[in-house]
Amino acid sequence: MRMTRPAPSVGPLPGTRLKEAATLTSAAFVDSPSYRHIFEGLTKCERLAALEWLFERNFELRKDMARAAFDADRRLICSFLLEPPDAPEISLWQMIRSGLLMLPVRFGRRPFLRLLSVKEYYDGCFREVFRDGALDRSRYCTLERMVVSPACQGRGVGSACLGAALQECDDRGLGVVLTTQEPRNARFYGKLGFEVLAEQPATFSPAVTDWIMIRHPPTGAVFEENRAAEAPAAAARSSLARAAVVGVAASSLAWLVLRRWRRQS
């Protein structure tokens, strides 16, 4: 009799496993066109080390939205970022604490500027999705860096893990948006209910094709009931987001004042 493997359980990425997730993610994205562009001039080995450094700090900054699944032996088999629409802004102080602002010191000014350029491109892609107001941005999460351990690929692990997270989004009345540069990834997401909104060349590398994909939130009576039940919590999260924005401004002001004071000393 054939034994059925239990579906992997998806939950928050533990803080003690951030480096492990960064290692898995960097190996999956080391040949990504966008990161090859950002770290142009580095060897593959150097690019891998740079990505591991970058992703570990990014996971630290966004650990509240980092998700992971482990096998029976507690080995990491899948991880991804699922950013809710009401996620607070990352403050300057948080970036300083994480060491992320050391990137131009460690890897040079040009990779840092290219990173900012690529980020602005993808932010612009998502702004375009919601530009005409036909879709409500407050009802869509953003999926990033979905990776599955090479040893577990082809076994349905990715579909099971992401499917569980998408069901949570459905329960909250939320859709999901993403971008990918791989045709096979576009097919994978299509099987999970995503549709292609746009297929376009990336501005930072015209030879690269980007697929912008969306999975719409559920509609109907059940969705409306869930949305009404979540309204108080959404209002609380909105207040926290506004507080975070104030924190960003305060941190920036404090940094500028300190810098000016040091120059005058």
Side-chain angles (χ1 to χ4, degrees):
M1 180 177 178
R2 184 175 180 180
M3 299 295 291
T4 302
R5 294 181 179 179
S9 177
V10 180
L13 175 64
T16 55
R17 309 295 290 270
L18 298 183
K19 186 173 181 61
E20 185 179 354
T23 300
L24 177 64
T25 308
S26 60
F29 282 89
V30 67
D31 289 320
S32 164
S34 56
Y35 290 112
R36 288 176 67 95
H37 169 73
I38 291 168
F39 293 106
E40 181 181 337
L42 298 187
T43 66
K44 183 172 183 176
C45 185
E46 291 170 336
R47 192 166 64 248
L48 187 65
L51 285 177
E52 186 172 342
W53 182 91
L54 177 64
F55 289 156
E56 184 176 2
R57 280 144 189 82
N58 193 261
F59 277 129
E60 174 63 33
L61 285 170
R62 307 169 74 190
K63 56 189 174 186
D64 290 343
M65 57 195 77
R67 312 296 295 276
F70 301 89
D71 64 13
D73 297 319
R74 295 299 297 167
R75 289 176 297 207
L76 180 66
I77 58 175
C78 176
S79 70
F80 54 90
L81 292 169
L82 189 62
E83 180 176 325
D86 55 0
E89 295 287 338
I90 297 171
S91 71
L92 176 63
W93 175 240
Q94 287 175 303
M95 288 191 284
I96 292 173
R97 288 188 61 186
S98 71
L100 187 61
L101 296 183
M102 291 297 293
L103 190 147
V105 177
R106 292 178 63 96
F107 304 106
R109 182 175 60 90
R110 290 183 179 179
F112 182 67
L113 294 177
R114 286 193 289 262
L115 174 64
L116 295 179
S117 175
V118 170
K119 182 182 184 304
E120 176 56 30
Y121 162 74
Y122 284 112
D123 287 346
C125 289
F126 290 130
R127 283 195 300 269
E128 187 64 23
V129 170
F130 302 100
R131 181 177 60 84
D132 60 5
L135 299 175
D136 183 356
R137 184 67 177 99
S138 67
R139 290 179 60 189
Y140 288 86
C141 299
T142 304
L143 177 67
E144 298 180 35
R145 299 188 199 134
M146 170 75 189
V147 296
V148 175
S149 169
C152 298
Q153 291 178 8
R155 301 182 183 179
V157 170
S159 296
C161 293
L162 184 54
L166 293 176
Q167 183 59 56
E168 292 180 19
C169 291
D170 286 349
D171 293 343
R172 295 180 57 196
L174 297 173
V176 182
V177 292
L178 61 85
T179 64
T180 183
Q181 299 171 349
E182 297 286 345
R184 60 176 183 149
N185 291 347
R187 292 191 294 270
F188 166 76
Y189 293 124
K191 294 177 182 178
L192 290 170
F194 287 84
E195 59 184 73
V196 177
L197 276 182
E199 182 178 336
Q200 62 191 37
T203 57
F204 58 85
S205 180
V208 175
T209 300
D210 262 316
W211 283 267
I212 303 168
M213 306 186 72
I214 192 166
R215 186 178 188 271
H216 293 290
T219 57
V222 174
F223 159 69
E224 295 301 336
E225 290 175 4
N226 289 343
R227 190 166 175 82
E230 192 180 86
R237 288 194 298 269
S238 179
S239 296
L240 287 174
R242 287 194 296 271
V245 172
V246 173
V248 173
S251 297
S252 300
L253 180 60
W255 180 74
L256 290 171
V257 170
L258 179 60
R259 185 181 180 186
R260 185 178 181 83
W261 176 80
R262 286 179 173 173
R263 284 181 175 178
Q264 294 175 344
S265 297

